[in-house]
Amino acid sequence: MIHSTIPRWTIVTPVLAWAAIAASSAAGGHAFYLTLLAVLLAGTVFAAVHHAEVVAHKVGEPFGTLILALAVTVIEVALIISFMLGGGEEKLALARDTIFSAIMITCNGILGICLLLGGLRHREQNFQLSGAKAALTVLAAISVLALVLPNYGTSQPGPLLSSSQLAFTGVVSLVLYGAFVFVQTIRHRDYFLVEGSHDEDEHAPPPSNKVAMLAVAMLLICLVAVVTLAKLLSPSIESFVVDAGAPAAVVGIIIAALVLLPEGLAAANAARADRVQTSLNLALGSALASIGLTIPTVAMIFVFMGEPLILGLEIKETIFLMLTLVACSLSLSVGRTTILQGIVHLVIFASFVFFAISP
């Protein structure tokens, strides 16, 4: 990962996004303008993740991982809040739907594609079993505590949480994610590196100070642009979902897919290059960052606002979550992967999408 220069598209895209934002009052709700906003939103998310990776490579670990995770979380939370504010009671579950969708996309969609592509090209791929087990252990704990346990509390009727329960859930999610980051980047860093190497990027020189400072500035510009574009697009996306006759949970799938698309492409490319360890780090790391950082952030916002928040999954989604955790544990239990595991995870992901659209 060599970042000696900033690609031109990562600068042009957010500039065009801000130009489109400035023209919002004149363009109104024209279909072409809304399509342009959607394209620019996707492009700006890609640009933001790229700039975050440049900054992360400059500062090194453990701060690099945190910067990238925080950037993605800011994008996800901004999209969630933009859709939820002023949306009424039917939007109280959007954060839950987005986080759950992120888990299904990363642990079944992205992971399945990576294992399938890697298996087709290299037949069998090896990875560090210790790192995968550590990530799955933390993911299982946070998922159940944040998305299943709220259904069984008595202070508030499930799936709602009281303010104290919501605050506690946010704290424990942050503690678990922080412990994972500490293990991944400091205490047992070798668990997450390619076997026989102490640093996957040891031959990649860090970017210059000038490039890093430009990346920081562009990252901030991109993040603010994403928030603004999301606010402009949220009514149109919701109307599209309603007109299509799809459940409200589909909005959460759209948000999660948009945020995770850049990481998904990077993971797939790594699998094709016979670097399945990198693919697993990206897929499982994205799932952990999504739930481990988004839950505390959303919890803090809603505790401060005094608003209720639905986190508990319904029965169908709980079954999908349990199936995903079991399938991941079995697929990654021997340190080797083939196309079979990839096909299994993709079938689970296809089932999740089908039953989300046609419940």
Side-chain angles (χ1 to χ4, degrees):
M1 188 189 302
I2 300 177
H3 298 294
S4 57
T5 60
I6 298 291
R8 185 174 300 174
W9 70 268
T10 64
I11 297 177
V12 173
T13 301
V15 170
L16 292 176
W18 277 109
I21 292 170
S24 59
S25 58
H30 194 276
F32 175 78
Y33 175 71
L34 294 176
T35 303
L36 177 62
L37 287 184
V39 172
L40 290 174
L41 175 59
T44 306
V45 170
F46 273 86
V49 172
H50 175 84
H51 292 306
E53 288 177 343
V54 174
V55 178
H57 190 52
K58 176 64 177 179
V59 301
E61 300 296 351
F63 303 105
T65 298
L66 292 175
I67 288 174
L68 183 56
L70 287 172
V72 173
T73 302
V74 167
I75 295 173
E76 184 173 2
V77 172
L79 292 173
I80 291 173
I81 299 302
S82 297
F83 279 81
M84 290 184 73
L85 290 180
E89 293 185 359
E90 66 274 10
K91 297 294 171 46
L92 295 180
L94 182 59
R96 176 201 67 186
D97 294 338
T98 303
I99 294 169
F100 173 64
S101 298
I103 295 174
M104 298 302 294
I105 290 171
T106 52
C107 294
N108 288 315
I110 295 176
L111 183 61
I113 290 174
C114 291
L115 299 185
L116 179 62
L117 291 178
L120 287 173
R121 192 163 193 176
H122 306 285
R123 294 183 63 86
E124 189 176 88
Q125 294 179 297
N126 299 321
F127 62 91
Q128 291 270 46
L129 186 57
S130 300
K133 284 185 175 181
L136 288 175
T137 300
V138 176
L139 180 61
I142 301 180
S143 299
V144 173
L145 290 174
L147 300 178
V148 178
L149 188 60
N151 287 321
Y152 302 97
T154 57
S155 298
Q156 286 273 28
L160 291 170
L161 290 177
S162 65
S163 295
S164 60
Q165 291 172 334
L166 188 57
F168 179 80
T169 301
V171 170
V172 296
S173 298
L174 189 60
V175 168
L176 285 170
Y177 181 72
F180 173 78
V181 170
F182 174 73
V183 168
Q184 183 187 38
T185 58
I186 300 176
R187 188 76 173 185
H188 299 289
R189 188 166 180 252
D190 54 308
Y191 288 179
F192 302 88
L193 299 178
V194 176
E195 276 191 296
S197 172
H198 296 290
D199 191 346
E200 291 183 79
D201 292 323
E202 59 187 353
H203 301 298
S208 64
N209 292 334
K210 181 180 178 180
V211 170
M213 292 302 297
L214 177 59
V216 170
M218 292 307 303
L219 176 60
L220 296 175
I221 292 172
C222 288
L223 292 178
V224 178
V226 167
V227 175
T228 309
L229 288 170
K231 290 181 179 179
L232 293 175
L233 276 172
S234 57
S236 301
I237 294 177
E238 292 168 359
S239 298
F240 172 78
V241 171
V242 171
D243 294 341
V250 174
V251 176
I253 298 177
I254 294 174
I255 294 175
L258 179 63
V259 173
L260 295 168
L261 184 58
E263 296 296 305
L265 291 176
N269 289 333
R272 285 176 54 84
D274 200 19
R275 291 185 290 114
V276 72
Q277 181 69 56
T278 301
S279 297
L280 292 178
N281 290 345
L282 286 168
L284 298 179
S286 296
L288 283 169
S290 177
I291 188 170
L293 292 176
T294 302
I295 288 286
T297 306
V298 173
M300 180 182 65
I301 292 173
F302 277 79
V303 168
F304 178 77
M305 294 172 57
E307 296 288 337
L309 181 65
I310 295 177
L311 282 181
L313 293 173
E314 297 180 359
I315 295 297
K316 180 184 66 178
E317 285 72 28
T318 302
I319 293 173
F320 271 117
L321 177 62
M322 295 299 108
L323 176 60
T324 297
L325 294 175
V326 171
C328 285
S329 299
L330 295 176
S331 296
L332 306 178
S333 62
V334 295
R336 297 187 305 273
T337 62
T338 65
I339 62 171
L340 177 59
Q341 290 100 322
I343 292 172
V344 170
H345 284 282
L346 287 176
V347 167
I348 296 174
F349 178 69
S351 302
F352 157 69
V353 174
F354 176 80
F355 282 99
I357 297 175
S358 180

